[in-house]
Amino acid sequence: MALFKHKFFKPFKNWFTLILVSFIVWMLFFDDNSWILHHELNTDIEALENEKEYYKKEIEKDNKAIKKLRTEDGLEKFAREEYYMKRDNEEIYIIEYEDSLKAKKNE
């Protein structure tokens, strides 16, 4: 019992202080609405909002690409570049340089 006579434990002799400290510890760590849980949920919300912004930007880029493909020239350009399509009276030669091959591998 000599251990509890130390000056560190003096405030804990008061019942109100003891109850207040136990309530604070309970609310911070053990309760369903604890600070730890709120911190995790706020982190999740922030990550989801960042993801939402990313997808909004991607939607804008896709809408621009769709507008380009709706024109006859844009559709022809896409077919020639991506699928190497050609007209009946044309020949296609594909020339690839080393630096262009490295760029394709990184994508």
Side-chain angles (χ1 to χ4, degrees):
M1 283 310 241
L3 179 64
F4 293 115
K5 291 184 180 179
H6 192 271
K7 65 180 179 179
F8 176 73
F9 293 108
K10 189 174 183 177
F12 295 106
K13 288 183 180 180
N14 188 348
W15 281 100
F16 295 112
T17 307
L18 190 61
I19 291 172
L20 180 65
V21 168
S22 62
F23 176 74
I24 289 172
V25 168
W26 179 265
M27 290 305 288
L28 285 177
F29 300 108
F30 302 117
D31 193 45
D32 288 339
N33 299 319
S34 67
W35 177 79
I36 295 171
L37 181 65
H38 278 281
H39 180 68
E40 291 174 0
L41 291 175
N42 286 337
T43 305
D44 291 344
I45 288 171
E46 186 176 326
L48 289 172
E49 285 176 352
N50 291 338
E51 192 173 334
K52 179 180 170 183
E53 290 299 319
Y54 168 76
Y55 285 123
K56 280 185 179 180
K57 289 177 185 175
E58 289 296 314
I59 288 171
E60 288 176 14
K61 285 197 294 188
D62 290 343
N63 284 336
K64 288 178 184 177
I66 288 172
K67 283 183 184 179
K68 287 181 183 177
L69 290 175
R70 288 198 179 169
T71 64
E72 194 68 32
D73 294 334
L75 187 61
E76 182 179 347
K77 180 181 176 184
F78 179 77
R80 287 174 175 268
E81 289 178 358
E82 294 296 320
Y83 296 107
Y84 305 117
M85 292 185 171
K86 64 181 183 91
R87 293 188 180 136
D88 291 334
N89 58 356
E90 288 182 334
E91 293 291 324
I92 295 179
Y93 298 100
I94 300 170
I95 301 171
E96 293 182 348
Y97 297 102
E98 287 184 29
D99 53 344
S100 67
L101 294 176
K102 290 177 186 175
K104 286 183 180 180
K105 288 180 183 177
N106 291 338
E107 292 175 356

